């Protein structure tokens, strides 16, 4: 009988037949979901026979949500994620004039999914702009709730902006041009600590050697500089026997331990090109994380196939997702690449502790790409590739498991 995943003191408790809500998504969402769900079910069956399975529960959002309930993000959809804890979604159209920035941002904010998790690795055969893309194997922990990204902005010319500028000049002596728009950059101890804590735990659990705090603390001392200080402090305080190093560490990181270090964001963007092997897990603020995730994905030629997840490691709530948009011109053509959603499902299996199923997905995707059986987007860039439709790519992945 299907059951609910729950959070216990020791972590997630996952039954053998969990109920997992999914949002199919808009545009190409139905094409990629149809392919992905076949891959997921095949990976579970190949790994566990009939002893495990997933009961998929569709929940409406985007166009389907609006058509069925009159709401783009229906309350019952948010409630389903709160109840079942782990879910997965395709891309959603941002409704014009809907009163919110995007359905994705709304979901992250309302469910307090404070980590945007983006693993980046190279798949043999994918064209890349760098010489040694295989040296890139990193996981980015991007803070999801604060920073200039939090949306605390006032527009140029408005009464509130004039009032704010006048107040800041009067109370702080800050000279801000009268014709400015203004944004606020909050960075808190509590949000920094929960992000860095999650990154260190992740690195330790996966025997990764380093966690790097990426920041612009040389310029923004009380926000990004403080992120660095608070990040080091929480790692020292909460993992005293497992974390080594700090600024002056040299040599091999001992087995079972992790080195916490930091780097200025612009130097980091150079070093991922020149010395990518030195980085494993990255913990960074919201805006840096946005740039860094996409720069890394581009480096491995994977911008169209990069998976992602938004997670609250304290409540256990997690939504895995395709990172691309709805590509409406390809909707219903059985043409696009479903890898981003499929690899986010691989992340979901890892999160559930179903490592064999995760590895089956990984094997299938690697082999399909290495064999050159790929969708149009990769086929047009690869020599000797055979273009297959979305459904055919899923078939190739399942065969490759
Ligand atoms: P997009 O949907 O990502 O599409 C841009 C281009 O990227 C496509 O024309 C296609 O390139 C390529 N592409 C995207 N997904 C692909 C796939 N699975 N396989 C192969 N190629 C793929 O970006 P957009 O056109 O800027 O946005 C369209 C809508 O998506 C907007 O409403 C936006 O708000 C929404 N969006 C949603 C999310 C999300 O839900 N997470 C994220 C971003 C955007 P070619 O034309 O070169 O083939």
């Amino acid at each position: 009988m299907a059951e609910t995943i729950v959070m216990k003191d020791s972590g997630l408790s996952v039954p053998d037949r969990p109920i997992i809500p999914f949002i199919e998504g808009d545009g190409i969402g139905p094409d990629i979901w149809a392919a992905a769900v076949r891959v997921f079910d095949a990976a579970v069956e190949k790994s566990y026979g009939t002893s495990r399975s997933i009961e998929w529960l569709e929940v409406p959002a985007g166009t389907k949500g609006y058509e069925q309930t009159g709401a783009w993000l229906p309350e019952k959809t948010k409630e389903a994620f709160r109840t079942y804890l782990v879910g997965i979604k395709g891309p959603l159209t941002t409704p014009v004039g809907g009163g919110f920035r995007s359905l994705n941002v709304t979901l992250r904010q309302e469910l307090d999914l404070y980590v945007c998790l983006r693993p980046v690795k190279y798949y043999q055969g994918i064209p890349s702009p760098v010489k040694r893309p295989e040296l890139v194997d990193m996981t980015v922990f991007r803070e999801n709730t604060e920073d200039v990204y939090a949306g605390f902005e006032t527009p140029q010319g408005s009464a509130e902006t004039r009032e704010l500028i006048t107040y800041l000049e009067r109370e702080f002596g800050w000279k801000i041009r009268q014709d400015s728009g203004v944004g606020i950059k909050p960075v808190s101890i509590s949000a920094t600590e929960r992000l860095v804590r999650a990154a260190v735990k992740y690195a330790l659990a996966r025997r990764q050697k380093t966690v790097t705090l990426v920041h612009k603390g040389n310029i923004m001392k009380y926000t990004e500089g403080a992120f660095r200080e608070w990040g080091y402090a929480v790692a020292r305080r909460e993992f005293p026997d497992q974390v080594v190093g700090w600024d002056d560490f040299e040599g091999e990181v001992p087995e079972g331990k992790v080195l916490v270090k930091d780097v200025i964001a612009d130097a980091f963007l150079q070093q991922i090109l020149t010395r990518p092997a030195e980085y494993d897990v990255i913990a960074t603020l919201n805006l840096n994380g946005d740039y860094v995730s996409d720069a890394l994905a581009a480096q491995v030629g994977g911008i169209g196939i990069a998976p992602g997840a938004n997670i609250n490691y304290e409540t256990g709530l997690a939504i895995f997702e395709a990172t691309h948009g709805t590509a409406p011109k390809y909707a219903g053509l059985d043409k696009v690449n479903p890898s981003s959603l499929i690899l986010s499902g691989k992340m979901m299996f890892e999160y559930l502790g179903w490592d064999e199923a995760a590895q089956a997905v990984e094997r299938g995707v690697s082999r399909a790409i290495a064999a050159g059986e790929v969708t149009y987007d990769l086929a047009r860039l690869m020599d000797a590739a055979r273009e297959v439709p979305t459904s055919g790519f899923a078939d190739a992945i399942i065969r490759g498991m």
Side-chain angles (χ1 to χ4, degrees):
M1 205 184 79
E3 286 176 79
T4 307
I5 297 169
V6 291
M7 190 68 174
K8 298 207 165 135
D9 289 343
S10 53
L12 277 191
S13 170
V14 182
D16 285 335
R17 304 196 190 286
I19 300 167
I20 297 197
F22 70 94
I23 293 171
E24 191 178 49
D26 295 322
I28 54 172
D31 304 51
I32 59 174
W33 175 256
V37 73
R38 281 203 291 125
V39 169
F40 300 152
D41 287 341
V44 172
E45 196 194 324
K46 278 202 162 41
S47 306
Y48 312 112
T50 54
S51 65
R52 284 182 176 168
S53 61
I54 292 175
E55 180 158 321
W56 301 104
L57 172 71
E58 180 165 11
V59 290
T63 308
K64 265 193 183 173
Y66 192 73
E67 282 169 4
Q68 289 177 18
T69 70
W72 293 98
L73 194 53
E75 206 44 55
K76 70 173 185 186
T77 293
K78 288 180 266 178
E79 209 40 57
F81 287 122
R82 288 194 189 95
T83 303
Y84 298 109
L85 285 186
V86 177
I88 186 162
K89 64 175 276 296
L92 292 172
T93 308
T94 294
V96 178
F100 30 45
R101 286 194 300 166
S102 100
L103 298 179
N104 297 304
V105 174
T106 309
L107 257 182
R108 286 172 206 169
Q109 285 176 345
E110 295 202 9
L111 301 179
D112 194 24
L113 304 174
Y114 62 84
V115 172
C116 176
L117 186 67
R118 294 278 297 269
V120 187
K121 66 165 282 191
Y122 180 63
Y123 287 91
Q124 200 62 42
I126 292 196
S128 149
V130 300
K131 282 192 195 141
R132 303 281 309 275
E134 70 281 3
L135 295 181
V136 177
D137 188 358
M138 299 185 209
T139 306
V140 180
F141 277 69
R142 166 186 168 191
E143 207 290 323
N144 235 350
T145 65
E146 302 196 316
D147 200 355
V148 279
Y149 226 96
F152 301 129
E153 287 193 307
T154 58
Q156 187 276 327
S158 67
E160 65 213 302
T161 303
R162 276 198 298 277
E163 200 180 323
L164 198 53
I165 291 175
T166 307
Y167 173 80
L168 292 171
E169 176 148 19
R170 191 179 66 234
E171 298 296 325
F172 295 87
W174 293 0
K175 300 250 177 294
I176 298 173
R177 286 176 184 274
Q178 289 296 327
D179 58 351
S180 302
V182 177
I184 303 261
K185 179 182 173 79
V187 177
S188 69
I189 298 183
S190 50
T192 300
E193 287 192 346
R194 65 183 184 174
L195 178 90
V196 175
R197 180 183 300 124
V200 173
K201 281 188 180 170
Y202 182 97
L204 286 167
R206 285 172 177 70
R207 298 179 172 276
Q208 303 268 313
K209 291 289 178 203
T210 62
V211 172
T212 305
L213 310 173
V214 176
H215 60 87
K216 283 289 290 178
N218 53 332
I219 306 297
M220 293 170 272
K221 296 188 189 312
Y222 302 130
T223 51
E224 307 234 350
F227 174 86
R228 172 185 180 278
E229 297 309 319
W230 298 330
Y232 274 131
V234 71
R236 272 196 186 107
R237 193 174 67 242
E238 297 189 9
F239 307 90
D241 302 326
Q242 292 156 296
V243 167
V244 294
W246 320 122
D247 300 350
D248 54 356
F249 181 83
E250 283 184 25
E252 278 286 297
V253 180
E255 197 49 42
K257 304 208 175 200
V258 66
L259 168 69
V260 176
K261 56 182 181 169
D262 76 282
V263 62
I264 304 280
D266 35 321
F268 179 71
L269 289 171
Q270 295 170 32
Q271 288 176 13
I272 56 175
L273 291 169
T274 54
R275 291 158 27 204
E278 291 178 18
Y279 296 100
D280 301 315
V281 175
I282 311 303
T284 192
L285 301 102
N286 208 339
L287 183 61
N288 295 336
D290 192 18
Y291 300 149
V292 160
S293 307
D294 279 1
L296 281 170
Q299 209 167 312
V300 295
I303 200 97
I305 68 169
N310 296 290
I311 304 179
N312 182 321
Y313 285 93
E314 291 167 1
T315 60
L317 227 160
I319 301 181
F320 296 80
E321 66 173 2
T323 57
H324 55 72
T326 58
K329 67 181 175 185
Y330 295 120
L333 300 184
D334 192 24
K335 184 172 173 75
V336 293
N337 191 336
S339 295
S340 179
L341 187 61
I342 287 173
L343 290 171
S344 76
K346 178 209 150 194
M347 292 170 70
M348 185 183 76
F349 286 135
E350 285 171 347
Y351 186 71
L352 297 178
W354 291 16
D355 291 340
E356 298 80 2
Q359 285 155 15
V361 174
E362 173 79 16
R363 257 193 325 273
V365 171
S366 301
R367 286 180 182 165
I369 294 173
E373 279 192 83
V374 290
T375 45
Y376 83 95
D377 52 315
L378 295 179
R380 70 188 169 185
L381 300 172
M382 291 164 65
D383 297 329
R386 185 167 78 83
E387 183 181 327
V388 293
T390 312
S391 53
F393 188 57
D395 294 336
I397 293 173
I398 293 168
R399 275 198 307 277
M401 283 177 187

